[in-house]
Amino acid sequence: MSETKQLAAEATGPLKGVRILDLTSVVFGAYATQMLADQGADVIKIEDPGSGRGAGGDIMRWPGHTPQGWPRDLGPIFLAINRNKRSVVLDMKDAKARQALEALIKESDVFATSIRYDGLKRLGLAYEDVKALKPDIVYVHAAGYGSEGPYAGEPAYDDLIQSASGLADVLPRTDGNPTPRILPSLVADKVSGLFMCQAITAGLLSRERTGEGQFIEVPMLECVTSFNLVEHLYDHSFDPPTGQWGYQRVVNPHRKPFPTKDGYIGLLPYTDKQWDVFFDVAGWGETFGKDPRFQGLERGRHIHELYALVETVTVTKTTDEWLELLKPLSIPVTRTNRLDDLPDDPHLKAVEFFQRFEIPDAGTYLAMKPPVKFTGTPSNIRRHPPRLGEHTDEVLAEVSQEA
């Protein structure tokens, strides 16, 4: 990873030629539009110049501990979700800035925004306003809550959506501590960003087929609740319910990395055959391997006891010993990485997942390679995360020429 990568010369991804006007900020919308930018879209990030009360632009520019001499408007989370974009600063209260925005709308395929819809109406940027400028626009609104419900228009952040969606109730069902807890990841923002990314590409495909744009709403609460209940609706899928909320294999205090002599492993024998082989390796073939609790469908009903049992044997060998023993037997197993271990993980190193780039007059930073592989139209990294307003003159000159 010591080698510094060079930026790609041009977009090669499947969305090359698509222009996205990006009025999103923080994580939800910005994560979605970066994925599309990696896939070739020209994403123009519209940012506010700020005021005397605080710094301008996307709020995620500023958190973090930047190195000495590093630009303060390029904080670590901003770096992770804003590459391949161009930043344009426009003061919406200024008439000329408004004219420039309208010119950009006319030349864009997608209008993506996370501004509250009442605020968009006040700005004259509701769907009907934007559609009047660009009739076939794909207008995508990243909302906290669906517009048809009583929470519509309320503020929504990751913590709030984890609380409202039931995510904060998953750990209590796992370990018996009744206190609801937020998962230590921006799960709600990032999951909603994935829904938004897919919605934009689906909207573009529909426009390609019909010639018509549309309004698309991506509400966080509905997206994250849907995500959470794929497995945790469980026996409440039926009317009337036949049992519990929560998939029993997942809400299990023993579903965790298993300790070894010198670390931890992720271990998941899954099929009947894999469990039979594992029981033999563990020396349990004639005991637990024949226990009716751990056979076929019964295994799922006794998964708590089974996982607790596994933990008693994994501690008898080192991590490397388990990997060398179980991988040739096709039993799913992996080393448990700490965050610090990820840059040195053999697989991530082999695929060059972490890549080092250098921003002139700033310094070097790590980027994560676009994870999805397109063999014919590969994603690439062709622009550093932009400084605040870095491309204002460039983009507005382009719009003037196009007009």
Side-chain angles (χ1 to χ4, degrees), residues 259-261 282 310-318 321-322:
T260 66
K261 276 186 175 180
V310 170
E311 187 170 346
T312 67
V313 75
T314 57
V315 294
T316 64
K317 299 181 188 298
T318 67
E321 286 172 341
W322 279 118

Side-chain angles (χ1 to χ4, degrees), residues 327-401:
K327 283 194 173 188
L329 299 174
S330 297
I331 294 179
V333 63
T334 187
R335 185 185 307 274
T336 297
N337 283 325
R338 304 287 186 174
L339 293 177
D340 322 53
D341 300 325
L342 293 173
D344 294 317
D345 179 88
H347 181 87
L348 295 177
K349 287 180 73 172
V351 301
E352 296 186 309
F353 181 75
F354 293 101
Q355 300 182 346
R356 188 185 304 276
F357 289 87
E358 182 174 359
I359 298 177
D361 302 321
T364 57
Y365 68 99
L366 294 186
M368 291 172 282
K369 186 173 79 170
V372 177
K373 183 177 180 179
F374 293 84
T375 57
T377 54
S379 300
N380 61 24
I381 299 176
R382 59 197 180 277
R383 293 182 182 276
H384 300 300
R387 301 292 307 277
L388 178 59
E390 179 179 345
H391 303 97
T392 302
D393 293 342
E394 173 186 301
V395 170
L396 297 188
E398 290 174 3
V399 173
S400 176
Q401 292 170 4

Side-chain angles (χ1 to χ4, degrees), residues 174-230:
T174 301
D175 62 12
N177 176 350
T179 306
R181 276 155 287 157
I182 301 297
L183 303 180
S185 174
L186 298 178
V187 176
D189 275 329
K190 291 181 285 187
V191 164
S192 300
L194 292 170
F195 274 90
M196 184 176 182
C197 181
Q198 190 277 330
I200 289 172
T201 54
L204 287 168
L205 177 60
S206 176
R207 191 185 73 162
E208 182 70 20
R209 290 174 169 173
T210 66
E212 297 181 357
Q214 61 182 296
F215 175 83
I216 300 172
E217 183 177 75
V218 185
M220 289 180 74
L221 177 60
E222 288 90 323
C223 289
V224 177
T225 304
S226 171
F227 172 84
N228 186 31
L229 293 187
V230 165

Side-chain angles (χ1 to χ4, degrees), residues 59-180:
I59 193 173
M60 295 314 296
R61 286 183 171 279
W62 309 105
H65 305 97
T66 53
Q68 184 73 27
W70 184 271
R72 283 286 296 116
D73 61 349
L74 293 178
I77 299 176
F78 184 86
L79 287 176
I81 54 175
N82 284 286
R83 65 172 177 235
N84 283 333
K85 303 178 186 181
R86 297 192 284 174
S87 171
V88 172
V89 166
L90 293 177
D91 182 352
M92 296 301 175
K93 301 181 183 68
D94 180 80
K96 288 185 177 180
R98 176 63 188 221
Q99 290 175 358
L101 180 64
E102 292 182 357
L104 280 166
I105 290 172
K106 292 175 182 178
E107 300 298 331
S108 296
D109 301 288
V110 177
F111 183 91
T113 178
S114 58
I115 300 171
R116 285 196 224 172
Y117 206 68
D118 285 345
L120 290 164
K121 289 178 180 178
R122 289 192 295 271
L123 290 169
L125 293 174
Y127 173 57
E128 295 301 328
D129 301 315
V130 174
K131 182 181 178 183
L133 296 168
K134 176 73 171 178
D136 65 348
I137 196 75
V138 176
Y139 186 113
V140 185
H141 184 228
Y145 309 93
S147 56
E148 297 175 348
Y151 303 161
E154 292 186 9
Y157 297 97
D158 192 278
D159 297 35
L160 301 184
I161 299 300
Q162 286 205 40
S163 292
S165 66
L167 270 182
D169 185 44
V170 175
L171 288 175
R173 292 173 181 272
T174 301
D175 62 12
N177 176 350
T179 306

